[in-house]
Amino acid sequence: MNSQAPILIVGAGQAGVQIAESLRQEGFGGELLLIGEEPHPPYQRPPLSKKWLADGGSGSAVSLAIRGAEALARRRIELKLDARVAAVDRRAGELTFSNGERLRYGKLAFATGSLPRILPVPGAMLEGVLYLRGIADSRAIAEAIRRCAADQQRVVVIGGGFIGLEVAAGARKLGAEVTVIEGLERLMSRVTAQVVSEAFERVHRAHGVEFVFDAQVVELSGRGGRVELVRTADGREFPAGCVVVGIGVAPDDRIAAEAGVACDRGIIVDECSRTSDPVIAAAGDCTARRLPDGRLQRLESVQNAVEQGKSAAAALMGRSRPFHATPWFWSDQYDVKLQMAGLSHGYDQVVTRGDLHKPAFSAFYFRAGRLVAVDSLNRISDHMLAKRLLDHDLSPTVEQVTNPDFDLHGLVKQSA
């Protein structure tokens, strides 16, 4: 197939923009179309639950822009916004849009991101029950929080993960009372050690947030089609002026799956972002990467979107560019910045370095005596060090980490 045939990219977020720009850097000179469902040019999503929300969601979408339309036009990247792809015909090499329009492609990339998981209980779609994905959602959540603050009604957040806690912090800044209902025994339990969970619980309680743990929401109810009450399995009821649901996301792989591209909890890609179709690549939150041992790995982060986007562009040009960098993530809650390097699952020991109560410390995760991940709270230098250690497969000992006089930076210098 002619490499200069049109390349269409479905999804105009971080991964989609990266694919498009990397294609130009890789030397692709043909028609390049970036397709987005929203009316906004490509923008950053992480601030939607952080500063942008805490500031009331009243900022301009321009302030969130990854690249404006003019910047993309200079790279000869065409934008097609407010457009929803309904189907992909791989045999014909054609996209069909929800309005019936059709476009041909030579090669294709999926960068469709993820969708918030819907709470699977009666009342989950009542007015005032809110989910966060895009700019319109963040604005709606901020407006609902302001209304609750003015009417002295409580904001109920379902889910004690990153999104739920960031929304809770934003709601407190906007003056609303907040209850967080978490189904497990502690905050962020799937991704952090107990010492990190406890630190964030202390921070949130100091700001007036109420927590309910080990509670399963079974129903949302209200009058006139609007939510007023959250019920849990143990019979408790929590009045709510609005409910924000943050129970995780699912990869938006429906179109790819319906087109026959291999999917399993995401569009399956290899280390070079290639899918089961040789003319289709995929990158970002919509993907599940096949590891050498056969397991599938999903990473939801800006870093993953950027690096997979570079790999996908290379794959579309017939080249291999594997992505092996240490994964990293972050969360901002009040004045605490959590930065995570590596993947801590399967750890068998965790030790800390720093002050647990400021908080300004790092949690070092070990598995079979080797460092696998580090969570840093207001310790930026530790985070940067952790990425370098993990990138170079260097591991301090537990004793070295717990000795405040030991220079961990020296390990990197010695290996240089």
Side-chain angles (χ1 to χ4, degrees):
M1 178 175 289
N2 183 350
S3 63
Q4 301 302 300
I7 295 181
L8 275 52
I9 303 168
V10 184
Q14 188 79 59
V17 170
Q18 189 63 59
I19 294 169
E21 293 188 334
S22 293
L23 278 166
R24 290 302 187 216
Q25 292 165 4
E26 292 274 351
F28 178 70
E31 180 184 347
L32 191 51
L33 181 63
L34 191 58
I35 302 164
E37 285 194 2
E38 296 181 72
H40 312 287
Y43 65 89
Q44 305 170 68
R45 293 184 185 273
L48 296 180
S49 59
K50 299 178 177 71
K51 187 178 186 303
W52 208 71
L53 175 67
D55 289 343
S58 58
S60 167
V62 174
S63 67
L64 298 174
I66 299 171
R67 296 285 185 274
E70 292 182 2
L72 292 172
R74 285 195 295 271
R75 295 171 171 84
R76 294 180 295 113
I77 299 169
E78 184 181 348
L79 273 176
K80 184 177 180 64
L81 300 176
D82 218 3
R84 189 175 71 82
V85 175
V88 176
D89 185 336
R90 293 194 293 139
R91 179 172 295 181
E94 188 175 74
L95 300 186
T96 300
F97 292 82
S98 57
N99 64 0
E101 180 186 0
R102 295 185 178 187
L103 285 179
R104 298 292 299 273
Y105 67 84
K107 293 185 179 179
L108 180 67
F110 287 111
T112 44
S114 58
L115 297 168
R117 294 188 184 277
I118 304 301
L119 191 67
V121 302
M125 303 307 291
L126 286 169
E127 184 180 353
V129 180
L130 303 163
Y131 299 82
L132 177 60
R133 190 192 190 204
I135 285 176
D137 302 318
S138 186
R139 283 178 171 156
I141 290 170
E143 176 57 33
I145 289 170
R146 285 196 297 266
R147 187 175 61 248
C148 285
D151 296 343
Q152 296 185 319
Q153 294 181 308
R154 189 166 283 268
V155 175
V156 175
V157 176
I158 300 176
F162 290 154
I163 295 297
L165 294 178
E166 289 167 1
V167 169
R172 289 301 294 137
K173 182 175 180 180
L174 293 171
E177 297 297 316
V178 180
T179 297
V180 175
I181 300 176
E182 166 56 42
L184 300 176
E185 73 283 354
R186 60 182 177 87
L187 302 175
M188 303 182 290
S189 61
R190 293 184 178 89
V191 293
T192 62
Q194 185 163 337
V195 66
V196 177
S197 299
E198 290 173 348
F200 275 98
E201 183 179 345
R202 288 194 297 272
V203 168
H204 278 273
R205 286 192 186 279
H207 283 84
V209 175
E210 174 185 287
F211 287 105
V212 181
F213 292 106
D214 285 315
Q216 305 302 318
V217 173
V218 294
E219 183 183 11
L220 308 181
S221 63
R223 290 178 296 180
R226 183 171 189 83
V227 71
E228 292 182 338
L229 204 66
V230 178
R231 292 189 178 89
T232 54
D234 57 9
R236 285 181 288 177
E237 297 183 341
F238 300 90
C242 74
V243 174
V244 182
V245 180
I247 56 172
V249 297
D252 188 1
D253 60 359
R254 179 187 60 81
I255 297 170
E258 289 177 353
V261 177
C263 295
D264 183 355
R265 291 159 293 167
I267 303 169
I268 299 174
V269 296
D270 66 7
E271 63 181 4
C272 295
S273 301
R274 294 176 290 229
T275 72
S276 60
D277 186 315
V279 301
I280 300 178
D285 289 6
C286 64
T287 65
R289 180 180 170 186
R290 180 74 71 186
L291 300 178
D293 62 7
R295 290 182 300 118
L296 291 172
Q297 180 186 78
R298 291 200 65 245
L299 297 176
E300 299 160 7
S301 72
V302 170
Q303 176 218 19
N304 185 60
V306 169
E307 296 301 331
Q308 278 195 324
K310 295 174 182 177
S311 293
L316 292 169
M317 295 294 290
R319 302 169 189 145
S320 294
R321 188 186 189 282
F323 161 40
H324 293 303
T326 298
W328 54 264
F329 315 85
W330 86 95
S331 176
D332 294 330
Q333 299 170 39
Y334 309 106
D335 59 350
V336 180
K337 177 177 284 293
L338 170 63
Q339 295 171 291
M340 311 171 79
L343 300 173
S344 62
H345 60 79
Y347 71 91
D348 52 35
Q349 189 173 9
V350 59
V351 295
T352 60
R353 188 178 178 98
D355 187 332
L356 272 63
H357 291 279
K358 274 189 176 180
F361 71 92
S362 294
F364 289 72
Y365 298 81
F366 289 83
R367 183 169 60 240
R370 297 290 298 178
L371 183 70
V372 294
V374 180
D375 294 347
S376 300
L377 286 71
N378 288 346
R379 299 262 291 197
I380 295 174
S381 63
D382 281 3
H383 176 65
M384 301 304 294
L385 170 64
K387 289 199 293 184
R388 294 175 68 190
L389 288 171
L390 294 167
D391 277 344
H392 291 86
D393 195 26
L394 298 172
S395 178
T397 66
V398 169
E399 291 73 24
Q400 288 169 339
V401 171
T402 54
N403 178 359
D405 297 323
F406 184 82
D407 180 18
L408 294 175
H409 292 268
L411 296 175
V412 178
K413 294 175 185 175
Q414 292 171 17
S415 69

